[in-house]
């Protein structure tokens, strides 16, 4: 089983969980935002630079409208100091490749020193013999390893600029080192994530066999996000069950029903490398910035007028908020997830 996050709970964090759930229920009943408590989790962006050029990723394509840069380690520590009493889960990724930030290992170490569960998502190109020992000396609780092909052709059809051989070698190194060093420990929990698209859907059974043979902790087959009709035609799988969208002759539409509520705005928040607080991972360009945690306390931003107004919009007409129209909240994104 995946690492038990119960060990990260404290009396203060449990009380905070109760506050968040109760305030969300009241918000739905009253149809106005009521917020007690602080986020349970955060996505914090080490960098929005990436070494790959994936066709549906604004980082790799260079289409992000916000500046590129790297999260400063001192700013990161100051932020963790603000949130650790209430929050127990940090994802060290948003846009970009986390391992491009030279201070990533120190970020993992510091967050865990505050009894915070740390998860990372990576394409694996910067994991090697050179840094594997340092990584395992400060191992995150979970590593999500994206591998969308089983040879160079299927891999590079989406992971443009990448190398299947390099990613495959890194993943095998992770699994081998864990087995050699950890003697049965689940840390880091290694999840292989396979994004199913037209170019690789024929490999679904093979990637499951690949992961089982390798000794992966979990294999997840995930549906693909698209942002244009052209990419819908180019990349969405032929098999209907592998899609999160309905495709017509003139367009596409997500299968998800957009209800006028979203628990994400009560339980989590996203912070960009330069400190901007945004509502969720679908606001890739930080269009809805509520404040900057390097300039203000997060607690003030969390309950600010701007944040509350955004929550109010979601409760009254979520379909009118542009970043929500491609949202998967409430939709099953994973075709299958298997733990070993």
């Amino acid at each position: 089983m995946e690492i038990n996050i119960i060990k990260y709970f404290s009396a203060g964090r449990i009380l905070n969980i109760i506050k968040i759930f109760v305030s969300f229920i009241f918000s739905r009943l009253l149809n106005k935002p009521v917020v007690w408590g602080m986020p349970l989790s955060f996505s914090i962006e080490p960098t929005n630079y990436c070494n790959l050029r994936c066709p549906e990723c604004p980082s790799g394509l260079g289409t992000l409208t916000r500046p590129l840069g790297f999260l400063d380690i001192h700013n990161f520590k100051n932020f963790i100091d603000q949130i650790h009493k209430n929050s127990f889960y940090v994802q060290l990724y948003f846009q970009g490749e986390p391992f491009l930030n030279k201070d990533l290992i120190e970020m993992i170490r510091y967050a865990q020193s505050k009894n915070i569960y740390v998860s990372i998502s990576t394409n694996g190109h910067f994991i090697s013999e050179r840094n594997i020992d340092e990584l395992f000396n400060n191992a995150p609780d979970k590593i999500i390893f994206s591998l969308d092909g089983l040879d160079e052709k299927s891999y590079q059809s989406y992971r443009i600029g990448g190398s299947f051989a390099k990613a495959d070698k890194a993943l095998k190194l992770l699994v081998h080192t864990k087995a050699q060093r950890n003697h049965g420990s689940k840390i880091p929990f290694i999840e292989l994530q396979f994004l199913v698209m037209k170019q690789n859907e024929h490999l679904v059974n093979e990637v499951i066999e690949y992961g089982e043979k390798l000794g992966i902790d979990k294999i997840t087959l995930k549906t693909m996000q698209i942002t244009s009709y052209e990419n819908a035609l180019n990349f969405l799988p032929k098999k209907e069950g592998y899609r999160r969208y309905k495709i017509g002759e003139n367009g596409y539409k997500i299968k998800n029903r957009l209800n006028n509520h979203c628990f994400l705005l009560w339980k989590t928040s996203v912070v960009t490398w330069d400190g901007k607080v945004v509502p969720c991972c679908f606001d890739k360009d930080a269009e809805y910035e509520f404040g900057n945690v390097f300039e203000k306390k997060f607690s003030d931003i969390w309950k600010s007028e701007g944040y509350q107004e955004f929550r109010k919009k979601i409760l009254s007409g979520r379909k009118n908020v542009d970043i929500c129209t491609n949202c998967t909240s409430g939709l099953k994104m994973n075709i299958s997830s298997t733990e070993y």
Side-chain angles (χ1 to χ4, degrees):
M1 292 179 65
E2 194 168 338
I3 300 165
N4 187 353
I5 63 172
I6 297 297
K7 67 178 183 178
Y8 295 94
F9 289 178
S10 63
R13 289 175 177 176
I14 292 173
L15 178 59
N16 184 60
I17 292 171
I18 294 170
K19 287 180 178 179
I20 288 297
F21 273 90
V22 172
S23 65
F24 179 65
I25 292 170
F26 268 90
S27 297
R28 292 190 60 184
L29 291 173
L30 300 174
N31 201 36
K32 68 177 183 179
V34 177
V35 179
W36 300 321
M38 301 295 287
L40 312 180
S41 66
F42 285 87
S43 290
I44 305 174
E45 182 179 68
T47 182
N48 54 356
Y49 280 105
C50 190
N51 56 306
L52 303 183
R53 303 186 303 279
C54 304
E56 271 295 341
C57 177
S59 290
L61 290 177
T63 58
L64 282 176
T65 58
R66 57 188 174 93
L68 302 179
F70 297 92
L71 174 60
D72 178 81
I73 185 62
H74 301 294
N75 287 333
F76 174 79
K77 289 181 177 181
N78 289 337
F79 181 65
I80 293 297
D81 289 343
Q82 289 186 49
I83 67 168
H84 74 90
K85 291 183 179 180
N86 294 303
S87 307
F88 61 88
Y89 193 114
V90 164
Q91 303 173 84
L92 281 174
Y93 59 93
F94 174 28
Q95 296 298 291
E97 167 53 47
F99 278 92
L100 284 171
N101 189 312
K102 62 181 178 61
D103 293 319
L104 180 67
I105 303 299
E106 176 61 13
M107 292 176 189
I108 296 169
R109 188 203 66 76
Y110 192 76
Q112 289 182 328
S113 75
K114 301 295 184 179
N115 198 34
I116 292 176
Y117 181 105
V118 178
S119 175
I120 291 177
S121 181
T122 179
N123 59 50
H125 281 64
F126 298 97
I127 297 173
S128 66
E129 295 280 1
R130 182 172 48 83
N131 63 5
I132 194 69
D133 287 332
E134 183 184 16
L135 175 60
F136 271 81
N137 289 338
N138 302 274
D141 296 87
K142 182 177 182 178
I143 296 177
I144 300 173
F145 197 106
S146 296
L147 190 77
D148 305 325
L150 289 178
D151 52 41
E152 296 298 348
K153 182 179 179 180
S154 58
Y155 184 85
Q156 294 182 26
S157 65
Y158 186 73
R159 300 282 171 178
I160 298 171
S163 162
F164 169 75
K166 185 176 287 188
D168 174 63
K169 183 178 180 181
L171 183 55
K172 289 176 178 176
L173 178 63
L174 273 176
V175 175
H176 174 75
T177 305
K178 178 181 174 180
Q180 292 294 312
R181 291 189 44 157
N182 288 14
H183 306 293
S185 171
K186 278 291 185 182
I187 299 176
F189 186 89
I190 302 173
E191 177 179 340
L192 169 60
Q193 184 173 281
F194 187 81
L195 196 62
V196 182
M197 61 194 79
K198 184 184 298 184
Q199 290 78 2
N200 65 15
E201 62 182 312
H202 63 288
L203 297 172
V204 163
N205 291 331
E206 290 182 42
V207 78
I208 294 173
E209 293 176 5
Y210 167 88
E212 289 177 348
K213 183 177 180 180
L214 197 57
I216 296 297
D217 294 310
K218 184 177 182 180
I219 301 170
T220 298
L221 306 177
K222 189 175 181 180
T223 58
M224 183 179 181
Q225 176 184 312
I226 51 98
T227 56
S228 72
Y229 185 55
E230 180 183 3
N231 278 346
L233 297 178
N234 289 338
F235 291 105
L236 289 186
K238 295 179 180 179
K239 190 172 180 179
E240 179 69 25
Y242 291 169
R243 300 177 184 173
R244 65 175 74 167
Y245 302 94
K246 298 178 181 178
I247 305 177
E249 293 184 0
N250 300 312
Y252 65 96
K253 183 180 181 181
I254 198 163
K255 295 176 181 177
N256 191 26
R257 180 182 176 183
L258 290 180
N259 296 313
N260 288 335
H261 57 80
C262 181
F263 189 40
L264 292 178
L265 292 172
W266 275 257
K267 75 171 184 176
T268 191
S269 191
V270 177
V271 179
T272 66
W273 70 269
D274 51 355
K276 296 174 182 177
V277 178
V278 299
C280 69
C281 62
F282 284 92
D283 190 8
K284 302 182 192 315
D285 282 312
E287 179 183 354
Y288 296 94
E289 179 190 349
F290 303 125
N292 193 300
V293 293
F294 303 155
E295 300 169 359
K296 298 180 181 178
K297 289 183 179 179
F298 178 79
S299 56
D300 292 336
I301 297 172
W302 179 241
K303 297 182 180 181
S304 66
E305 182 179 350
Y307 227 135
Q308 289 292 74
E309 280 298 316
F310 188 84
R311 294 185 180 104
K312 187 175 180 180
K313 287 181 181 179
I314 297 299
L315 291 170
S316 60
R318 188 168 165 223
K319 66 181 181 180
N320 298 318
V321 181
D322 56 352
I323 63 170
C324 295
T325 58
N326 204 16
C327 179
T328 53
S329 180
L331 178 70
K332 184 179 178 181
M333 292 187 295
N334 298 336
I335 300 161
S336 68
S337 291
T338 307
E339 289 190 25
Y340 298 93

